[in-house]
Every structure is written in structure tokens, then in C-alpha cells.
Amino acid sequence: MLKHFFLLLFILSGINNITIAQSKKNTFILKGKVTDESTGQILQGATIYFTDIKKGIITNDKGQYQIQLPAGNYLVEVSYIGYSINTKNVEVNNALELNFALNHAAVESTNVTVTSFLRATSSRRTPTPINIIKKEDLLKGSGTNLIDALSNTPGVSQLSTGPAISKPIIRGLGYNRVMVLNDGVKQEGQQWGDEHGIEIDEYNVSRIEVLKVPASIIYGSEALSGVINIVSNVPVAEGAIRGNVFTNYQSNNHLVGTHFDIAGNNKGFVWGINGSTKQASDYKNKYDGYVYNSKFKEIDGSAYVGIEKEWGYTHFFVSQFNQKLGMIEGTRNDAGQFLKQTYNILSSPYAKFAGGALLDEVATDADFRSTTPNIPYQHIIHTKYTLDNSIKWGEGRLKANLAYQRNERMEFGNIFVPDEKSLYFDLGTLNYSFQYLLPEKNNWKHTIGVNGMQQENKNKGAETLLPEYKTTELGLFFFTQKRMSAFTLSGGARIDKKGVTFDHENGITGIVHENKDFGDIAGSFGMTYEPNKDWVFKLNIARGYRAPNMSELGSHGAHEGTNRYEYGNPNLQSEKSLQFDLGTEWSNEHVSFTGNVFYNMVTGYIYYQKLNNAVGGDSTLLNNGQTFYAFAYKQQNAGLYGAECNLDFHPHPLDGLHIENTLSYVRGTFNHAVDYSDNLPTIPPFRWLSEIKYEFGNTPGIKKNNYISVQLDNVSEQNNPFTGYNTETATPGYTLINVGMGTHIKHNGKQVCSLTLVAQNLGDVAYQNHLSRLKYTDENVATGRMGVYNMGRNFSVKLNVPLVFD
């Protein structure tokens, strides 16, 4: 599979060579200056960035910039720390002077998004609901993993298994119904599993775009509920060498994180390198004390090189994510103390290989303080090679992205043989994506494309949960956008084909070879209407789909941590989704409001149900001395509906005062009850985030852009769980108090560092999130409470030091 990657790389190199000869033709100079709108002061170090071509420039000490661009239409984004972002459509067909004035407006101006249409688009002109999280927003949080940082986004929640494992849920749908992109590449990390998180370096994220509609038309299967586009590497502006040194400490589990990155751009030759480490001991809460084996370690690194010229760019990236994390079982003695598993080697050190006696010992303070996970634990290594290209081709632009990624997931669970890999999934994936962006004419923007992948999974562990398999996907799509005065229309269609081959045991005739084919059609239509600069109305209709994953098709084995023995169902059909979205945005100088409602009809929703034995009772199996309930995958129709809204108020004349409220609600039901329950699983409860923040702005002295905030995180009870087969239980509501403060320290107009302090769960509330899988670990017989609780009070300190060597 890797040889195919290098063959395609060679072909693209040839295409680049052909276009270089035309690179100097039809290029023009764009220049101007950036100033403060209210004072006229020049802004040195402001960034002018062209998202479609990933090219930017920084203003000099006179606030001026100058950049050479090929003829065409561009959406430019101008930004400066402490100011609102300014976006503007620019047509370059001759030398042009363009000045920008930035302001300290209390309400954030329009952002640029690429997730919806594959080309830079104003978020106001996008009919699909989308949220954009910038790096400075991530620095203000105190999450222990990347999805933690996204959970404050309206409509987004997380299915978690402790502080190191979180999976995104968008409007009640998760697992591989949510597609995660990293630098334009579909992240393939075996998304089907409860214990499988997102293998992306949290500290190396520059920007995240969250699209909350079916996006199968562009991205194919697994974009049924939405897309999370994570941008890690953004090449710096020409002539610059920039970097950061970052460190984070969290008090609850003594997390220590460090990060370093540096990147340069010398006359179009771009390069960058970065590395991160993170380690944490066991976390604690008021009810459980320290939670045994919730510790983890992580070390990540990546690098890139590339060329940026008038004809476009080509970038080559390599990255690796390496994490070891404990798996929390929650076993305790009658006194409520956590137990760790060990063994008695009897009279001979070789007795353990013959099945020595298992022992349960009380976990000690040294066990809680250690950052080395104990058995059972996981070791995940995710390695990725990416070639990203954007080439001027005729009057349009060809975008080509190739990637090879290898995900190794190893589970260690044999106390007698600690080095034995109980499970070892070795997944190799070749991704490819080609899009041609036709030139904009008469306000029409057309995009045609093809994308897909080849994938192979090998089992190298002592046990088997999934069969080895091979997958091939191919999809063709067309997308268009038309701007007509106050209206913007968009839509398109896609056709897909997916093939899966695997062998599985059906329990009757033994091993059966399966060759499954899935194919489907996706489509969408969207419209925005801007009657004036204050109002925007949005409508979107999208049809998506998802082919069954390999766990659903062919699993056959004990799924540790879930108490399930799973049987796949090779007769499953693709899930199909039809979603209607209606939204509005209103803003003026001091108030902004965003509201969205949706209804999603899912045909053939896949779920698992408990099997019955011959006499009508629960079917159970004995595996390695442990009893498991037998489950199999089924499907039926379901529906989801809900709403999100955000109100941000800045009372005059206290423009630095922000009063923000965000509400999220989703309800999901089966068309027909399953074991007397018609509620869908993993549906988050109603949530209301209320925050008061005061920004001190540019105060005299060396401290700039100071802020302090107090947030109430109100989560209602979930009284509509999926109780079928005892899958879920109701969950009480809770309210958390979070406090944050931060500052940018500057000297002679240049930023020296930024410091952020956050207190999460200041009241040390003992709570269980409804989507925490630790709810269903063993009962604490000393207290009568079921499962393990979420993290208690946590103080976080983040220090970021920018490096500038221009």
C-alpha cells in the first residue's frame, strides 16, 4: 500500500514540473497597510492570509505589506492579537493597493471556513451551521485531551472513558458517524471502538472547524453527522521564522505538558518542526479519591517541508502520535479502596506461565502518583505521511492530497505475561483526494472531485475481536455555489462505492468469506439570505450515509471494558440520513445572537442488542474465566431533533464586559421501542453555559489584553436514557463553576508571553457525565454508588512564549 503512495507522489511531481513553466505568467502585486480603525495607529506584525493558497504575509514596522499573487479571486483574512478578524473578497487582475482597518469590536466579525465548500468562504455566507475554534480559545481551556477542548461548542459533546479517551458526539451521533480531518486527511484510527480516542497532538492544533450537518457529499461515508476539521500546520508568512515554547501544569492529576515548535519561510521554501510531551498520574474526585489507573503518557512529533510559488504550493508532512494509557476497571474492596491485580508466583518463577494464582492488592499512594500505566493498558502509535498540493492549472486550481497512515493499537491485559499483546490491531490506510476548483465566473464557484482510500487491517495479538479485512472506497462529487446580491445558493451531489472483504465465524458452518459492497448517493442544497449587515438567515437540507464499520459487520469476541461478547452482522445495510437545518444570526456593535434548529431522519440506524438463550433468558458466554453477555448488531429507523443558540451581550459603555449564554438540546428516539425503550443511546442532556468575562484591553504598562471570566456549566438530568438491555441509566444534573484569567505581556510592542490560569470545577462537585463510560464500572459497595465519577477540582496554568527570528 505504501508503494502506491509513492507512485502517486511521483505523478504529482510531474504535474508540478509542468506548471512551473507558467508560474510567472499573470501574477500581480497586492500591497497596502493595516491600521487601528479608531486611532489610525499602524499595526506591526498583523497577518494577511489567503486560505485557499495557504499563503500569507506579515506587516512590517510601518504596518505595510506586499505580496505577489496569480490572477484570481481570493478571500483574504486579516488578523492581529486583540482585534477582530477582518475578511474581504478580493479580485486580483492587476496591481492593487488594499488597506485594512481593524477594530476592537466587542462582537467577533466573520471568520473564514474551508470545511463546508473546500474553498475559502465567509462563515456568514455558509448555510451550514459551523463553529470555529482558534488557538487562543484552546489556550483558555483546561481539558486533558483535544475533545475536552471542543465540548464547550454548542451541539458537541464527548463520550469519555477517563481523562485520556474522548470521542466527539455531534447532535447525538458519534463513533464513525463523525468524520475527523487532520490537515485535510481523514483520520483513520479505528473509530468504531468505545476506548478509541482521537490520535492527534492537542498542543499542535492551530484551528478547529466543526461542521454540524451530514457532509457525505464532499467527504463520503462517516460524515453522517458532521465533520471536525483540525488544522495543525499552518506555514508562516514569507520572510518569517516563528515558533512557540509552551508548558501546561494541571493540579488534579499532576499533568505536565510541554510543546515546542518552530517554522520558517525563506523565499517560498517552507519548513517546520515540533514536538510535545504529556504525562499525568491518576486523577481524583470527592467520592472516589484517586481513580486507579487513570494515568497516561504521551509523546508526539511532526515535521514538514514545502515549496510555495506563484503556481501554488506543495507540502510534505510526517507525524507520529505515541500514547500509553491505563484502562480503568473500577474494582474495589468492601472498604471502597481501589484494587490492582497481581499474581502469586508460588514456588517457582515459571509458575506464572502455567497459570499462577491471581491476587487483588490495595492500590497504594505510589501507584496513584506513578505516571506509568498498569495492566490493563493501551499503547497507541499513529504514524502519518501526507503530501498536500495546490497547483494553478489553467484558470482554475487543482488540489491533490495523498496520505499514508498506520494506526497500531495494542492492548496489554495478561498480568502473568505483561509483554503479551492481548489485542493488536495494525491498520494501514492510503487516502487520496483530488479536487479541481474551476475559476469563479459570474459569481459561480464550481468544484469537482474524487476521493477515497484503500485500507487493510491485520491482527497480531493473542486474541481476536475483529477479523482481518481489506476496504476500498471511491467517490465522485460535484459542488457549486452562486452568489446573487443578498442570496447565496449552494448544493451538489456525490456517488460512492465501497467494498469490504473479510472472513468471519458464523457459529454454524464455521469460517465464511464475505465480500460486501456498499454504494450510495448523497446530495445537499443550502441558501443564505442577508437582508442587511445585521441579519443572516440560513437554510440547509443534506442527505448523508454511513456504511457499517467492521465491528458491526464482523466482530466475534469479548469486548473488554464493556462486559459484552459481540457478534457482528454481515447483513447490515448502510445508514442513511436526511437532515433539515434552519438558522439565523443577528448582530450589532454590542449584541450578537445565533440560533439553529434541526431535524434528522436516520434510516437503518445501527445499534447492538442483547441476545436471548433457548429458554428466553439472557445469553451469556464464558471467556478466559469471565462471564459476558452476548450482543449482536441490529438496525431500525430513528429520528433526532434539537436546537442550539448563543447570545453574546456587551453593554455600552462597558465594551469589555461579555455576558454570553449558550444552550444545546438534542432528543433522539427509535421509531419502534427496543426492549421497552425508544430512546437512542449516547444522547447528551440539555446544557446551558453561562459566562461573564471582562476584557481589560490595552492597559498601560507591559500587560495587554487581560481578561477574567466566571462560567457556570449547567447540565440537566438525563431522564431519557436508552434503558434497553440495561445499556444506560438515568443521570442526575449538576452545575460546575469555572474561573479563568489571562494576560499577554508585551515589551516595545512585541509579545513576550501569554499566561493563562483556569480553575475547573471550583466547587469540587462530584458528578457523572451521562456520556462517561466510567458510570458503568463496578459498584463501590462501601458507599452504594455505581461506577466512577468525573474529575474533581482542577487548577491549570499555561505559559506560552512566542519565538520571532524574522
Side-chain angles (χ1 to χ4, degrees):
M1 190 179 297
L2 191 57
K3 65 181 180 182
H4 296 152
F5 173 80
F6 288 107
L7 175 61
L8 290 172
L9 189 156
F10 176 77
I11 294 172
L12 280 173
S13 298
I15 295 174
N16 282 354
N17 291 333
I18 293 172
T19 57
I20 287 175
Q22 302 175 342
S23 63
K24 294 296 183 180
K25 297 180 181 180
N26 300 323
T27 60
F28 302 96
I29 296 295
L30 176 66
K31 65 180 182 179
K33 64 179 181 179
V34 182
T35 59
D36 184 304
E37 184 180 62
S38 58
T39 66
Q41 176 186 356
I42 61 171
L43 298 180
Q44 176 187 356
T47 300
I48 298 90
Y49 191 69
F50 301 82
T51 305
D52 273 337
I53 58 175
K54 293 188 178 179
K55 192 171 186 177
I57 191 72
I58 297 171
T59 56
N60 60 20
D61 57 358
K62 298 180 181 179
Q64 299 171 335
Y65 73 93
Q66 179 174 306
I67 189 170
Q68 187 165 314
L69 298 170
N73 291 277
Y74 301 93
L75 184 62
V76 59
E77 184 179 68
V78 184
S79 61
Y80 189 75
I81 293 177
Y83 289 77
S84 295
I85 294 174
N86 191 335
T87 62
K88 187 177 182 63
N89 285 291
V90 180
E91 183 176 1
V92 177
N93 51 26
N94 51 41
L96 182 65
E97 182 171 344
L98 187 63
N99 299 322
F100 296 92
L102 305 185
N103 61 63
H104 292 281
V107 177
E108 182 64 65
S109 59
T110 301
N111 288 294
V112 173
T113 173
V114 297
T115 306
S116 297
F117 300 141
L118 293 175
R119 63 169 88 203
T121 306
S122 164
S123 58
R124 281 177 64 88
R125 291 276 179 173
T126 304
T128 54
I130 190 165
N131 291 90
I132 298 173
I133 300 96
K134 299 183 288 293
K135 187 167 187 174
E136 49 265 38
D137 300 322
L138 297 174
L139 289 174
K140 295 177 182 179
S142 65
T144 55
N145 61 73
L146 183 57
I147 305 305
D148 262 355
L150 293 182
S151 60
N152 286 344
T153 304
V156 179
S157 49
Q158 58 177 327
L159 179 73
S160 63
T161 311
I165 305 176
S166 287
K167 302 175 69 66
I169 304 288
I170 295 180
R171 292 177 165 180
L173 297 176
Y175 296 88
N176 68 327
R177 298 179 180 94
V178 176
M179 179 175 289
V180 176
L181 299 176
N182 185 210
D183 292 323
V185 179
K186 176 185 173 185
Q187 186 80 358
E188 285 293 335
Q190 307 181 56
Q191 304 92 310
W192 50 268
D194 290 319
E195 309 86 1
H196 302 176
I198 304 297
E199 294 87 17
I200 296 173
D201 180 7
E202 173 192 2
Y203 294 151
N204 194 41
V205 173
S206 299
R207 174 188 178 96
I208 304 174
E209 298 182 5
V210 181
L211 182 64
K212 296 180 289 188
V213 295
S216 299
I217 182 175
I218 294 176
Y219 300 104
S221 179
E222 300 190 11
L224 183 77
S225 66
V227 176
I228 296 177
N229 183 16
I230 299 170
V231 180
S232 297
N233 298 294
V234 178
V236 298
E238 188 171 337
I241 299 178
R242 299 291 177 93
N244 290 276
V245 175
F246 170 83
T247 185
N248 176 213
Y249 173 75
Q250 298 187 21
S251 64
N252 187 285
N253 57 353
H254 306 290
L255 182 149
V256 177
T258 59
H259 174 77
F260 168 79
D261 65 77
I262 190 166
N265 185 336
N266 183 16
K267 297 180 180 179
F269 174 74
V270 298
W271 57 272
I273 188 170
N274 66 80
S276 302
T277 64
K278 189 191 296 183
Q279 60 180 12
S281 55
D282 292 334
Y283 80 88
K284 63 180 178 180
N285 61 60
K286 186 165 61 177
Y287 285 169
D288 300 309
Y290 284 99
V291 177
Y292 176 66
N293 213 25
S294 58
K295 53 181 65 68
F296 61 92
K297 283 184 174 182
E298 185 179 317
I299 181 168
D300 312 312
S302 67
Y304 70 87
V305 294
I307 298 173
E308 297 179 351
K309 296 295 182 180
E310 288 77 10
W311 50 263
Y313 66 81
T314 181
H315 299 150
F316 180 73
F317 303 90
V318 59
S319 65
Q320 186 174 89
F321 174 96
N322 193 321
Q323 183 187 63
K324 292 183 179 180
L325 63 156
M327 299 177 67
I328 304 167
E329 295 186 316
T331 305
R332 285 170 275 209
N333 60 17
D334 291 343
Q337 297 171 300
F338 282 101
L339 299 175
K340 64 177 182 178
Q341 199 173 67
T342 183
Y343 59 85
N344 182 353
I345 62 173
L346 305 177
S347 59
S348 167
Y350 300 102
K352 61 183 180 181
F353 298 105
L358 284 173
L359 298 176
D360 286 325
E361 295 182 358
V362 174
T364 66
D365 288 342
D367 293 321
F368 295 136
R369 290 193 301 268
S370 171
T371 59
T372 301
N374 302 104
I375 290 177
Y377 71 92
Q378 291 187 72
H379 185 191
I380 300 102
I381 302 174
H382 191 93
T383 308
K384 181 164 55 179
Y385 307 91
T386 304
L387 181 67
D388 186 27
N389 302 268
S390 179
I391 304 166
K392 183 73 173 177
W393 189 268
E395 295 184 2
R397 181 167 296 276
L398 174 66
K399 288 190 173 184
N401 190 296
L402 308 174
Y404 176 78
Q405 48 189 321
R406 183 184 181 191
N407 186 276
E408 301 173 83
R409 184 173 300 276
M410 296 158 276
E411 183 177 311
F412 298 82
N414 189 340
I415 193 68
F416 298 115
V417 189
D419 294 333
E420 179 186 86
K421 300 177 180 67
S422 300
L423 293 174
Y424 183 1
F425 303 121
D426 189 353
L427 182 68
T429 306
L430 173 66
N431 300 89
Y432 56 88
S433 176
F434 301 90
Q435 299 115 30
Y436 186 65
L437 281 61
L438 280 74
E440 181 176 346
K441 293 183 179 180
N442 299 321
N443 291 324
W444 279 102
K445 296 180 181 179
H446 304 306
T447 302
I448 57 175
V450 55
N451 49 31
M453 72 176 188
Q454 291 185 341
Q455 188 175 77
E456 182 176 6
N457 179 67
K458 297 179 180 179
N459 287 328
K460 299 180 178 179
E463 302 174 11
T464 300
L465 175 60
L466 298 183
E468 294 187 340
Y469 62 90
K470 293 182 179 181
T471 299
T472 301
E473 290 186 18
L474 177 65
L476 304 170
F477 69 89
F478 170 77
F479 196 87
T480 188
Q481 183 183 14
K482 170 68 172 178
R483 182 169 179 172
M484 301 180 300
S485 184
F487 287 92
T488 302
L489 305 179
S490 61
R494 178 190 181 94
I495 185 169
D496 254 286
K497 188 73 172 178
K498 178 177 181 177
V500 184
T501 60
F502 62 97
D503 295 328
H504 76 104
E505 184 176 345
N506 67 3
I508 300 175
T509 59
I511 302 298
V512 176
H513 179 74
E514 296 282 357
N515 191 346
K516 308 296 295 184
D517 288 317
F518 301 95
D520 227 309
I521 297 175
S524 71
F525 170 78
M527 178 181 68
T528 64
Y529 173 57
E530 296 180 272
N532 53 53
K533 66 181 182 65
D534 294 336
W535 283 97
V536 181
F537 298 95
K538 302 185 177 188
L539 168 69
N540 195 76
I541 304 171
R543 184 186 189 276
Y545 59 90
R546 179 186 73 95
N549 62 46
M550 186 46 58
S551 175
E552 295 161 342
L553 289 171
S555 61
H556 191 290
H559 198 166
E560 300 289 346
T562 64
N563 198 33
R564 300 195 303 261
Y565 194 98
E566 296 181 356
Y567 292 99
N569 182 353
N571 297 316
L572 294 173
Q573 303 298 313
S574 295
E575 292 180 340
K576 300 176 181 64
S577 168
L578 181 62
Q579 182 166 310
F580 300 85
D581 277 89
L582 185 64
T584 185
E585 297 177 11
W586 176 79
S587 64
N588 61 24
E589 187 179 358
H590 296 287
V591 182
S592 66
F593 171 80
T594 301
N596 293 281
V597 295
F598 70 93
Y599 181 70
N600 190 1
M601 296 181 292
V602 182
T603 303
Y605 179 91
I606 299 173
Y607 63 99
Y608 52 79
Q609 73 172 38
K610 190 181 292 184
L611 298 181
N612 294 329
N613 58 29
V615 295
D618 292 334
S619 178
T620 59
L621 295 93
L622 190 65
N623 187 74
N624 292 331
Q626 185 176 354
T627 300
F628 293 87
Y629 291 102
F631 281 80
Y633 287 95
K634 306 289 183 180
Q635 59 186 156
Q636 70 150 297
N637 299 341
L640 300 99
Y641 60 89
E644 304 112 22
C645 68
N646 175 273
L647 177 64
D648 201 351
F649 178 53
H650 313 270
H652 186 74
L654 299 176
D655 293 342
L657 179 63
H658 296 242
I659 303 174
E660 185 173 5
N661 289 275
T662 301
L663 291 82
S664 302
Y665 173 76
V666 61
R667 181 84 166 91
T669 59
F670 289 107
N671 285 15
H672 304 284
V674 176
D675 193 31
Y676 304 104
S677 177
D678 63 355
N679 301 310
L680 290 186
T682 65
I683 299 296
F686 173 76
R687 189 182 186 193
W688 171 25
L689 281 171
S690 182
E691 181 181 56
I692 299 177
K693 180 171 65 175
Y694 190 80
E695 297 176 338
F696 298 95
N698 293 322
T699 57
I702 63 172
K703 296 186 290 297
K704 307 287 184 180
N705 304 312
N706 307 311
Y707 79 91
I708 184 168
S709 66
V710 178
Q711 181 189 74
L712 294 180
D713 187 354
N714 305 280
V715 180
S716 298
E717 66 278 0
Q718 178 54 284
N719 290 325
N720 296 304
F722 175 51
T723 57
Y725 316 115
N726 298 318
T727 302
E728 293 182 343
T729 59
T731 307
Y734 54 87
T735 298
L736 307 180
I737 301 175
N738 309 314
V739 177
M741 61 185 67
T743 184
H744 293 282
I745 299 177
K746 293 186 177 182
H747 180 64
N748 293 332
K750 296 183 179 180
Q751 184 175 334
V752 177
C753 68
S754 63
L755 180 66
T756 305
L757 307 174
V758 179
Q760 198 83 6
N761 190 5
L762 188 62
D764 199 24
V765 174
Y767 72 99
Q768 289 178 322
N769 187 285
H770 181 68
L771 300 186
S772 170
R773 294 184 60 251
L774 299 184
K775 275 185 59 182
Y776 305 105
T777 55
D778 290 348
E779 178 187 0
N780 183 348
V781 295
T783 63
R785 300 186 181 101
M786 283 297 302
V788 172
Y789 282 69
N790 288 73
M791 185 179 288
R793 182 188 297 117
N794 186 30
F795 295 97
S796 174
V797 182
K798 294 182 179 181
L799 176 66
N800 187 68
V801 180
L803 306 175
V804 180
F805 303 103
D806 297 353

